[in-house]
């Protein structure tokens, strides 16, 4: 699973790539792994999940660097910072911990975060109607091939680029090319480049990768949770 902060790039100040990069550099992902996940996870370097087909293992991601964050912000339209509403799923302790940590981190560059807990169905509706400035989000792969996630995260016809409104012609052309390319080496080159563009443009902030953690009992047999994320109950049974 990959967790993100999804940004609405349609309106100021998040229509400015420098403001988005400032948030990237101001995010201490390792600390988030420790305080939110109790160390069970690793910082994300790409919007694609670690180890997935054509995951770009050459990307370094964004280090926690307040000086660089301030440099990026100084180049933006809001050099002194800006207010930001962060919507989270209400009742989730993890989401509250994450949002509180981000509020503290981003305050160091003048970004004043308002945390807005929202009931689950309302949060989904806000996402679907693009009624947000920033919000928590996540992804688990339904299929092994990267086309599903890349199309969702890049193409306007799939989901307006994961709801962000981000539009990059090069990334869009590559995403469509990758879906039909049969040569594995060429596909790797395509998807590696898409991830580079995504990191440069930062329409979302990849936070961390987490393994699936499931609690069961010895009475449950043949429980299966594959890497693609879905639960498989076909052979599962409970001992009476």
């Amino acid at each position: 699973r990959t967790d993100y902060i999804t940004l609405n790039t349609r309106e100021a100040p998040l229509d400015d790539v420098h403001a988005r990069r400032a948030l990237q550099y101001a995010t201490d992902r390792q600390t988030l792994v420790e305080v939110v996940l109790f160390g069970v996870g690793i910082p994300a370097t790409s919007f694609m999940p670690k180890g997935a087909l054509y995951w770009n293992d050459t990307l370094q991601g964004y280090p926690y660097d307040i000086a660089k964050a301030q440099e990026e912000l100084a180049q933006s339209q809001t050099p002194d910072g800006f207010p930001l509403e962060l919507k989270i799923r209400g009742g989730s302790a993890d989401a509250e911990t994450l949002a509180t940590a981000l509020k503290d981190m981003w305050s160091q560059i003048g970004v004043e975060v308002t945390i807005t807990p929202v009931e689950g169905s309302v949060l989904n509706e806000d996402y679907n109607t693009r009624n947000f400035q920033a919000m928590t989000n996540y992804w688990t792969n339904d299929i092994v091939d990267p086309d599903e996630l890349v199309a969702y995260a890049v193409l306007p016809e799939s989901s307006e680029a994961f709801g962000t409104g981000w539009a990059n012609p090069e990334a869009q052309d590559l995403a469509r090319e990758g879906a039909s390319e049969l040569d594995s080496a060429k596909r790797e080159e395509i998807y590696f480049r898409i991830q580079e563009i995504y990191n440069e443009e930062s329409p979302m902030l990849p936070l961390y990768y987490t393994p699936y953690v499931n609690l069961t009992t010895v009475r449950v047999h043949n429980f299966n949770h594959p890497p693609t994320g879905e639960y498989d109950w076909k052979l599962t049974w409970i001992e009476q």
Side-chain angles (χ1 to χ4, degrees):
R1 164 170 163 158
T2 310
D3 281 78
Y4 312 96
I5 298 299
T6 303
L7 305 176
N8 190 336
T9 70
R10 300 169 185 82
E11 301 175 356
L14 297 177
D15 61 342
D16 189 324
V17 67
H18 294 292
R20 302 196 298 268
R21 287 180 190 153
L23 294 177
Q24 291 270 41
Y25 281 118
T27 302
D28 185 347
R29 289 167 173 80
Q30 185 57 51
T31 293
L32 294 179
V33 167
E34 297 300 326
V35 302
V36 179
L37 305 176
F38 300 97
V40 184
I42 59 173
T45 57
S46 167
F47 75 96
M48 287 178 59
K50 177 177 170 59
L53 187 63
Y54 308 127
W55 174 71
N56 190 337
D57 59 358
T58 69
L59 286 178
Q60 297 300 308
Y62 281 83
Y64 178 53
D65 191 325
I66 292 298
K68 281 192 171 293
Q70 291 170 334
E71 288 177 12
E72 288 287 349
L73 201 61
Q75 299 177 64
S76 75
Q77 300 170 13
T78 51
D80 298 322
F82 51 87
L84 179 68
E85 182 187 34
L86 176 59
K87 290 188 175 181
I88 66 172
R89 189 171 300 274
S92 168
D94 285 350
E96 291 174 6
T97 302
L98 169 63
T100 302
L102 290 174
K103 178 183 175 75
D104 181 62
M105 293 171 189
W106 295 348
S107 69
Q108 298 178 73
I109 60 169
V111 175
E112 298 301 324
V113 175
T114 299
I115 301 170
T116 304
V118 182
E119 192 273 327
S121 62
V122 177
L123 188 67
N124 290 339
E125 179 65 19
D126 285 344
Y127 172 75
N128 291 331
T129 59
R130 315 314 182 204
N131 178 31
F132 67 93
Q133 193 176 14
M135 71 187 307
T136 54
N137 221 323
Y138 73 93
W139 178 271
T140 60
N141 275 12
D142 299 312
I143 61 175
V144 174
D145 195 90
D147 174 57
E148 180 188 37
L149 171 54
V150 170
Y152 196 84
V154 172
L155 297 179
E157 60 265 30
S158 294
S159 67
E160 297 180 44
F162 222 125
T164 65
W166 176 65
N168 182 283
E170 181 186 357
Q172 291 172 3
D173 289 345
L174 287 169
R176 297 184 181 101
E177 183 182 348
S180 58
E181 178 59 61
L182 298 179
D183 184 274
S184 179
K186 290 181 180 178
R187 290 196 85 203
E188 179 178 282
E189 183 179 338
I190 287 168
Y191 288 115
F192 270 42
R193 177 56 185 153
I194 289 172
Q195 291 167 81
E196 290 172 359
I197 297 170
Y198 211 91
N199 269 25
E200 292 164 5
E201 294 283 319
S202 299
M204 292 198 300
L205 313 182
L207 299 177
Y208 37 69
Y209 304 125
T210 57
Y212 302 122
V213 179
N214 300 290
L215 180 66
T216 183
T217 78
V218 294
R219 294 193 303 113
V220 176
H221 298 266
N222 296 339
F223 170 75
N224 185 30
H225 196 171
T228 44
E230 77 279 8
Y231 291 99
D232 185 352
W233 307 106
K234 291 191 288 291
L235 299 176
T236 306
W237 59 280
I238 299 178
E239 183 180 334
Q240 298 297 322

